[in-house]
Amino acid sequence: MRIFKFFSPAVFLACLILLQAGCARAPVPIPERTMRVVRAPVLADDLGLTSLVEPLRMQIEFLRARGKPAELAFGARHISREAYISALERFVRIILAASSEDEALRQIESEFEFLEVYGDRRWGDVFVTSYYEPVIEGALQESERFSQPLYRKPDDLVALDLEKFSEKYRDDRKLRGRLAGKALLPYYTREDIDSKGALKGRGLEICWVDPFDAFFLQIQGSGTVSLPDGRELKLNYAEKNGQPYEAIGKFLKDAVLPEKLNLQGIEEYLRTLPREEAQAVLNRNPSYVFFEVGKQNAVTAMGIPASAGRTIATDRRFFPKGALGFLTFERPDAKDAELRGEASQVSRFVLDQDTGGAITGAGRVDLFWGRGAEARAQAGMMR
């Protein structure tokens, strides 16, 4: 996929266009060199521009109420939060005042300048995947079926921001660890927690669910657990253990057919294995996510609710949170029970509101598809 960022004296936007081919190149050297001015792409919105108005209004109100960031950085260009809010308001007015969607798109093209990002394989190329909000079954007590606990953030988990020690660490991610006497050690891995019981008996359990559901819920970062009495627990991301994220699919290339190396195919294969063998595969991803019970569904890293089909996750080192974007991608169309189908190219405006452990660098984007089984089917095929 290709990414562009739009700029005017009042606003920046982002545009992502389909990646066809190419080889990976050296990572972008510094965040200030992540974007360049280009001509506008062909604009369209498969979800309809009017459906963008409410997510935009939510974003505007959130930026206004939050009071930060003071400015948004787009490569070497910086714009104040107040000016960006004003421009987003202008974008909404264009949509509402236009006599047709085509007229609105023409006006958007005429009022904003487009910036392309450094990308992955070449300028503008990014790899796009998708995530969703799972709805799974669980219980407040452990059972044979619901044997895996979902944990709250442990009180011994420490976040270390190296930027506070030196500016040279400005673009580094926060470290997570635990105190052992006077030493700061890496926090427990997935194997430590799920196989060796490092957190067992500390009263951190929120609920119990199926082990595979627990793993994929952590990958998505939030979700809903349906309890036997009909109640729902809305679980949002609270913290992570700081261990590196490893996609387990790369360890299954010899066991799973390439066309089934997606979320559905991987889960199907894991469920055929003996429990300990399957857990050993899950442990290949040492990253672990902790949750908190919330009042609303799927809250992003910004703290704003995710909008289905509109919210994207990117690396905050290169992309400013709160930016409006435009994305063109191959949308998968599930047509049978095995979730195989053709893909069609679509375009839409999106909002950069989230982050993800696997979403790193200037060439990665994760699109939030929505909630439940249908969203899971589509998101699992997005590559």
Side-chain angles (χ1 to χ4, degrees):
M1 305 279 175
R2 285 184 183 167
I3 270 189
F4 297 89
K5 292 283 180 182
F6 306 10
F7 167 80
S8 80
V11 70
F12 293 91
L13 306 175
C15 173
L16 298 83
I17 305 298
L18 177 66
L19 166 65
Q20 296 293 345
C23 298
R25 58 177 177 160
V28 62
I30 56 175
E32 288 75 13
R33 297 180 183 175
T34 57
M35 302 183 194
R36 66 181 184 183
V37 177
V38 294
R39 298 183 64 175
V42 176
L43 300 180
D45 196 301
D46 70 310
L47 300 181
L49 284 179
T50 55
S51 70
L52 178 62
V53 171
E54 185 57 30
L56 275 173
R57 284 174 170 165
M58 289 173 57
Q59 181 67 76
I60 290 166
E61 291 307 312
F62 185 82
L63 287 173
R64 181 178 286 116
R66 191 183 186 195
K68 61 181 183 179
E71 61 180 19
L72 286 78
F74 297 80
R77 299 187 179 188
H78 295 251
I79 188 168
S80 72
R81 178 178 56 86
E82 291 77 11
Y84 196 80
I85 289 172
S86 178
L88 292 180
E89 291 174 329
R90 171 62 183 156
F91 199 94
V92 170
R93 290 197 299 272
I94 289 175
I95 295 174
L96 296 178
S99 60
S100 68
E101 188 157 304
D102 286 343
E103 179 188 335
L105 293 172
R106 285 193 296 270
Q107 196 162 352
I108 290 167
E109 181 177 346
S110 69
E111 291 195 19
F112 300 102
E113 186 177 27
F114 295 69
L115 283 83
E116 181 182 44
V117 304
Y118 183 83
D120 179 28
R121 301 170 185 249
R122 60 180 181 266
W123 271 96
D125 292 344
V126 299
F127 178 48
V128 179
T129 52
S130 189
Y131 64 115
Y132 69 103
E133 182 187 359
V135 178
I136 62 178
E137 294 183 348
L140 297 181
Q141 293 81 34
E142 184 178 7
S143 66
E144 183 177 353
R145 179 186 177 191
F146 302 128
S147 59
Q148 175 63 54
L150 297 176
Y151 290 111
R152 296 180 180 87
K153 174 187 173 183
D155 55 11
D156 63 344
L157 177 60
V158 178
L160 180 62
D161 187 353
L162 294 178
E163 184 183 358
K164 294 180 179 179
F165 293 84
S166 173
E167 275 293 316
K168 70 180 181 180
Y169 299 115
R170 181 188 63 178
D171 300 321
D172 290 351
R173 294 176 178 271
K174 290 182 181 180
L175 299 178
R176 272 81 170 178
R178 59 185 176 90
L179 291 174
K182 294 184 178 181
L184 179 64
L185 303 178
Y187 205 74
Y188 299 117
T189 65
R190 179 176 301 278
E191 182 177 7
D192 293 330
I193 297 170
D194 285 348
S195 296
K196 299 180 180 179
L199 300 181
K200 190 174 182 179
R202 292 175 52 177
L204 298 171
E205 296 87 353
I206 299 174
C207 62
W208 279 260
V209 298
D210 172 88
F212 300 106
D213 286 345
F215 179 82
F216 291 108
L217 177 63
Q218 287 187 36
I219 291 178
Q220 304 309 316
S222 65
T224 298
V225 177
S226 298
L227 301 176
D229 61 6
R231 288 183 295 158
E232 289 188 339
L233 292 177
K234 301 181 189 301
L235 300 185
N236 294 318
Y237 171 93
E239 192 45 284
K240 57 186 177 182
N241 65 345
Q243 296 285 345
Y245 178 91
E246 296 285 351
I248 62 172
K250 66 183 180 182
F251 303 115
L252 300 175
K253 290 182 178 179
D254 294 333
V256 181
L257 293 174
E259 63 269 22
K260 300 210 66 174
L261 205 58
N262 53 32
L263 186 153
Q264 291 86 0
I266 289 173
E267 180 178 352
E268 180 182 327
Y269 170 73
L270 290 175
R271 289 188 182 276
T272 68
L273 301 178
R275 183 68 190 92
E276 289 188 4
E277 187 177 338
Q279 185 61 53
V281 176
L282 300 182
N283 290 344
R284 300 294 293 269
N285 177 15
S287 177
Y288 207 88
V289 170
F290 304 104
F291 298 98
E292 60 185 6
V293 179
K295 296 182 179 180
Q296 54 192 358
N297 299 79
V299 176
T300 65
M302 287 189 70
I304 189 171
S307 296
R310 298 290 189 185
T311 292
I312 59 171
T314 65
D315 191 331
R316 66 170 68 249
R317 295 174 299 170
F318 304 104
F319 305 105
K321 296 302 137 187
L324 177 64
F326 178 77
L327 171 68
T328 297
F329 64 99
E330 292 287 346
R331 172 176 177 158
D333 298 313
K335 292 184 178 181
D336 58 39
E338 294 186 355
L339 303 175
R340 298 191 185 115
E342 298 178 354
S344 56
Q345 183 170 297
V346 297
S347 300
R348 68 180 62 162
F349 288 92
V350 292
L351 289 161
D352 190 345
Q353 300 170 324
D354 216 350
T355 61
I359 313 304
T360 59
R364 283 293 280 114
V365 168
D366 213 17
L367 171 66
F368 178 67
W369 206 274
R371 184 174 190 257
E374 184 176 347
R376 179 184 186 275
Q378 297 285 343
M381 294 187 293
M382 268 287 291
R383 292 184 67 81

